[in-house]
Amino acid sequence: MTCGLAWLLCSLAVAVSVAHTLSAVSQVDTPVRQLPTRTTSHARVVVVNDMPGHFEVLAGVLHVLRLLDVRPEVLYMGVPGIIHAWGLLDWLGQQSTVSHATREAVFEHVGKLNVVDVGADGFNTAAAHWVPLESSNQTDSLHLHANLVICVSPELAPAVCKGVVKAVNPSLAVLWVHRADVATPSKFPLDIRHHLVALAPHVAKLSASRMHTNVTWTLPLAPYHPNPGQECNLRSCLSGFTLQGSVHTFKTRKVTGFTRDYAKLWTQMVELKAARRAKGRAAKEADPDVRVLVLGKGTREQLLIPAEISGDVEHQSHLRYQDFWGRIHRSLALVPAFGMATYYQSRVSSTIGASLTTCTPLIAEQRLLDTYTFLGPEHVFLRLPGESEAVAMYRVASLPEEEVLSRRRALLELREELTRSAEAKFSGWLEEAELPIKPATAS
């Protein structure tokens, strides 16, 4: 089976029926989601991205709403050009191929907000419904009624969510908790009906304990589709391993370090490379491809890469989303290299979402599967007992093609399952908010 087939299986933009012979002949059908015709003339859902970031979560929310034929108004914190600078609309616009529509048709303007417009960066605001909020004070100028307000990461900027809810006066609010370790009841003093939702079971459990209320979980995902001409057609297009996430430090009362444990991985790679050379393998046979790509805001100097593996590590910063996802998609695997225990306790790592967005497997320890319980051994390259991430990278780089691609197929199936679950959850909220919905159809 070829890498091209893996990409086709990971694309929802086309219907695939492929007869392929590896050791046997099989046929795989991938459903296509058709974008339904809009049945209402005014948006009655407002989605608020409470901080300048976490756009991956926002994108997933918007993707599921679109599948349910809902076009929300999107309020986002940050300067007007940030969604362009990050390529957010280019990523989401790719999904317009599901209905063979243009980006303007997908991001139609379905309501008007009396706030600052996006036009400063030249974006055609008449064809969009994205509105920047450069401060929480701007929520006072909102003149819009909606049945439902969805706040993304409200615990990190509670004044923004509370300001929008007060101005819009919805019948229901959904608050998406990102970090359970900072969520407290005082940050959500809403006087209207509301639901607390997390992105994973462990975050929901801790949030419920801290908030003294019920917290459910669902993981909405916006899939990545390669740009034309960037499709992966050969096994050779899969190479190396990727670490993703901003290159920055964290500090607690007890420890200071990077959110990704680069030093530990570099040490493993140096030691393993030296051991292989000592055994003469470098002279007798080609080493597997264990080059590492670090994707994240920051500088190469911050990574403190040892000279022995300097040529084996690449760093890219500030890539636009389509390029960012494309580099991950063409990697053999993602390496979590978690530097904080909170990813197992109170937060969801963006690396988990990156894996499902691009259908790129993780190199995972059992603890990760025990925490992110929707993942199974079929979705990851599970490390053997006592095996380091670097040793696992060498092993994965030597696996036969089918073992690599089978995990990508499994990730696609899981992403579809999670999307169906999210659709059901969103449908319930829309009904509770007294919004008519028209489910998307599949063929």
Side-chain angles (χ1 to χ4, degrees), residues 29-41:
D29 295 321
T30 300
V32 176
R33 293 188 178 276
Q34 299 296 333
L35 190 67
T37 302
R38 184 171 175 77
T39 57
T40 57
S41 58

Side-chain angles (χ1 to χ4, degrees), residues 376-427:
E378 68 274 20
H379 305 117
V380 303
F381 296 112
L382 187 60
R383 285 161 54 186
L384 303 175
E387 185 179 52
S388 69
E389 286 180 318
V391 171
M393 286 160 54
Y394 273 91
R395 178 171 58 84
V396 169
S398 301
L399 288 175
E401 185 174 68
E402 177 59 17
E403 285 200 47
V404 173
L405 300 183
S406 66
R407 287 164 173 82
R408 293 184 169 235
R409 292 194 297 272
L411 282 167
L412 170 65
E413 293 172 0
L414 175 59
R415 190 175 71 193
E416 282 289 281
E417 178 185 336
L418 290 170
T419 298
R420 288 191 295 269
S421 176
E423 284 184 78
K425 187 81 71 175
F426 277 58
S427 295

Side-chain angles (χ1 to χ4, degrees), residues 59 121 144 147 202 367:
D121 64 354
L144 176 74
N147 300 78
H202 68 288
R367 183 184 182 188

Side-chain angles (χ1 to χ4, degrees), residues 38 40-45 71 110-112 435:
R38 184 171 175 77
T40 57
S41 58
H42 296 285
R44 285 177 288 168
V45 176
R71 305 291 186 273
V110 293
K112 191 168 182 63
L435 269 170

Side-chain angles (χ1 to χ4, degrees), residues 157-395:
V160 178
C161 180
K162 287 187 287 187
V164 172
V165 169
K166 179 180 178 181
V168 173
N169 191 29
S171 55
L172 178 68
V174 173
L175 312 178
W176 228 290
V177 180
H178 188 83
R179 297 179 180 176
D181 52 331
V182 299
T184 60
S186 63
K187 292 188 176 182
F188 305 104
L190 300 182
D191 296 327
I192 64 169
R193 285 182 298 151
H194 62 275
H195 297 296
L196 296 178
V197 191
L199 294 168
H202 68 288
V203 181
K205 182 177 180 180
L206 182 58
S207 296
S209 175
R210 290 174 59 86
M211 301 289 291
H212 309 295
T213 188
N214 182 54
V215 181
T216 60
W217 77 274
T218 190
L219 181 56
L221 297 155
Y224 160 75
H225 302 296
N227 292 329
Q230 295 183 356
E231 299 86 353
C232 185
N233 298 312
L234 298 171
R235 170 63 178 84
S236 59
C237 73
L238 292 178
S239 63
F241 300 86
T242 298
L243 280 77
Q244 70 86 46
S246 296
V247 183
H248 64 78
T249 59
F250 70 94
K251 184 176 182 180
T252 68
R253 287 178 296 178
K254 296 182 178 180
V255 64
T256 299
F258 283 102
T259 57
R260 303 292 185 267
D261 197 344
Y262 304 108
K264 183 178 180 180
L265 183 63
W266 302 156
T267 299
Q268 293 172 2
M269 291 177 64
V270 168
E271 292 176 350
L272 189 55
K273 189 171 186 177
R276 293 178 68 86
R277 289 188 181 279
K279 292 181 179 180
R281 293 186 180 183
K284 296 181 180 179
E285 62 184 52
D287 270 343
D289 184 3
V290 292
R291 290 177 293 111
V292 171
L293 168 66
V294 179
L295 291 177
K297 182 173 63 177
T299 65
R300 182 180 176 90
E301 289 71 24
Q302 289 177 285
L303 296 173
L304 302 176
I305 305 167
E308 297 93 325
I309 58 170
S310 178
D312 300 326
V313 180
E314 176 188 358
H315 174 245
Q316 291 288 336
S317 181
H318 294 96
L319 291 184
R320 293 166 64 87
Y321 270 115
Q322 279 297 98
D323 297 326
F324 180 84
W325 296 133
R327 293 299 301 268
I328 294 174
H329 178 68
R330 291 187 293 275
S331 300
L332 278 167
L334 281 158
V335 183
F338 292 156
M340 298 193 305
T342 51
Y343 291 131
Y344 294 110
Q345 299 166 350
S346 60
R347 304 182 189 180
V348 173
S349 168
S350 59
T351 300
I352 305 299
S355 173
L356 287 156
T357 295
T358 63
C359 294
T360 304
L362 297 159
I363 289 180
E365 60 180 342
Q366 184 61 46
R367 183 184 182 188
L368 189 145
L369 299 188
D370 294 340
T371 303
Y372 298 88
T373 52
F374 48 85
L375 291 172
E378 68 274 20
H379 305 117
V380 303
F381 296 112
L382 187 60
R383 285 161 54 186
L384 303 175
E387 185 179 52
S388 69
E389 286 180 318
V391 171
M393 286 160 54
Y394 273 91
R395 178 171 58 84

